[in-house]
Amino acid sequence: MIDVNLEQIDVQKLIRDLTTQLDNMGPVNLDAVHEYDELEERYNFLEGQNNDLTNSRRELLDVIAQINSTTRKLFADTFSPVRVNFREMFAELFGGGPRGFVVAR
């Protein structure tokens, strides 16, 4: 608060000074509160979308890891009997020799 002694200061000068200070503050945005509310709503929406995407990505990576694990197990379970059958068929068809195969990584 400005301590004003009206006897010492000209009232008109005081009015000009205060008017100048108000002008220096610039225009007042009367829609600022409404704009803030809209931006806050948009931010909250986008933050929710980001959280949903982050959770979906994590779940998708978990599913991919599970699929990879299951695929490896099923391949290994299938590969062993195929290898045994191949050895038997190779021996039967070619009368022995190196028979078998391995998985190259």
Side-chain angles (χ1 to χ4, degrees):
M1 174 112 187
I2 301 174
D3 186 19
V4 179
N5 184 346
L6 296 178
E7 296 171 352
Q8 297 175 356
I9 300 175
D10 181 29
V11 174
Q12 292 298 323
K13 182 177 181 330
L14 178 61
I15 291 172
R16 280 193 306 273
D17 290 345
L18 292 175
T19 302
T20 301
Q21 288 179 11
L22 282 173
D23 290 342
N24 289 339
M25 287 184 198
V28 175
N29 183 355
L30 299 177
D31 289 333
V33 173
H34 179 67
E35 289 174 7
Y36 174 82
D37 291 341
E38 287 177 350
L39 288 173
E40 184 178 33
E41 182 179 340
R42 177 76 175 148
Y43 172 79
N44 290 335
F45 171 76
L46 291 174
E47 186 177 36
Q49 293 291 305
N50 183 48
N51 290 339
D52 288 346
L53 288 172
T54 301
N55 291 336
S56 295
R57 181 180 184 273
R58 186 178 314 113
E59 290 173 9
L60 184 59
L61 291 174
D62 289 345
V63 168
I64 290 171
Q66 185 179 10
I67 288 171
N68 286 341
S69 174
T70 302
T71 302
R72 284 188 191 98
K73 182 185 179 318
L74 291 173
F75 180 80
D77 291 349
T78 303
F79 185 75
S80 294
V82 169
R83 183 175 20 194
V84 169
N85 288 335
F86 180 81
R87 286 180 184 163
E88 292 172 1
M89 293 301 292
F90 191 89
E92 188 177 317
L93 293 173
F94 299 106
R99 56 191 189 267
F101 52 89
V102 293
V103 176
R105 293 183 192 243

